[in-house]
Amino acid sequence: MSDVRLDKWLWAARFFKTRALAKKAIEGGKVHYNGGRAKTSKNVEIGALIRVPQGWDFWEVEVVALSDQRRGAPEARELYRETAESEARRAKEAENRRQANQAMQHPFKRPDKRQRRDIKRFMREQGGE
């Protein structure tokens, strides 16, 4: 296997559920190939560094193998190797998000009628100043 398009490789490596989503991310400038923006039809090379968005995080991976066929997740993980900096950054950001969520106090129940009236009264008073 010598020529694999970037969108096909991202789909085969299971970064995106469909090739259309991979294409949309590439064209939107979200995916970077060797530090720069790439086109959908860019041929992937072994050893290339690819930066891919995944939810709140960005993965920086090095291409280890090429494939244009989507296989199971264990086989897909063999197509790339995540950089150490990327792993450390993702772990740190996940910990920060976890701590931020713990700091927020979530109500145990919805406000009742009296509490809603108090909230509305408070909002009106704040807006009038």
Side-chain angles (χ1 to χ4, degrees):
M1 176 129 328
S2 61
D3 292 342
V4 178
R5 293 167 49 111
L6 181 58
D7 62 337
K8 265 192 174 183
W9 187 87
L10 290 170
W11 169 74
R14 293 184 167 262
F15 284 106
F16 295 98
K17 219 172 204 183
T18 64
R19 280 185 58 198
L21 290 174
K23 179 181 176 191
K24 190 175 180 181
I26 294 167
E27 290 174 349
K30 307 253 189 287
V31 176
H32 291 192
Y33 185 85
N34 283 337
R37 290 179 66 168
K39 291 187 178 181
T40 308
S41 60
K42 172 76 176 159
N43 286 332
V44 179
E45 302 166 349
I46 293 178
L49 288 175
I50 300 177
R51 187 169 190 247
V52 184
Q54 284 286 294
W56 297 102
D57 299 321
F58 277 92
W59 287 61
E60 288 182 7
V61 296
E62 178 185 353
V63 178
V64 176
L66 300 177
S67 175
D68 62 352
Q69 294 181 341
R70 191 172 171 100
R71 306 268 184 189
E75 292 178 41
R77 279 192 291 274
E78 294 174 1
L79 297 178
Y80 60 88
R81 178 178 42 245
E82 186 176 10
T83 62
E85 301 86 30
S86 174
E87 269 186 73
R89 185 179 56 252
R90 283 190 323 105
K92 187 178 104 184
E93 289 174 357
E95 180 64 22
N96 289 343
R97 283 193 304 271
R98 188 184 65 74
Q99 289 177 353
N101 284 337
Q102 285 181 343
M104 292 175 30
Q105 291 184 351
H106 299 285
F108 294 110
K109 62 178 183 171
R110 293 176 56 187
D112 59 20
K113 189 170 188 175
R114 181 176 181 182
Q115 291 169 333
R116 283 195 307 270
R117 286 179 179 165
D118 290 342
I119 291 170
K120 287 179 183 177
R121 185 178 311 117
F122 175 77
M123 296 301 285
R124 269 195 314 270
E125 290 172 2
Q126 293 300 313
E129 290 181 13

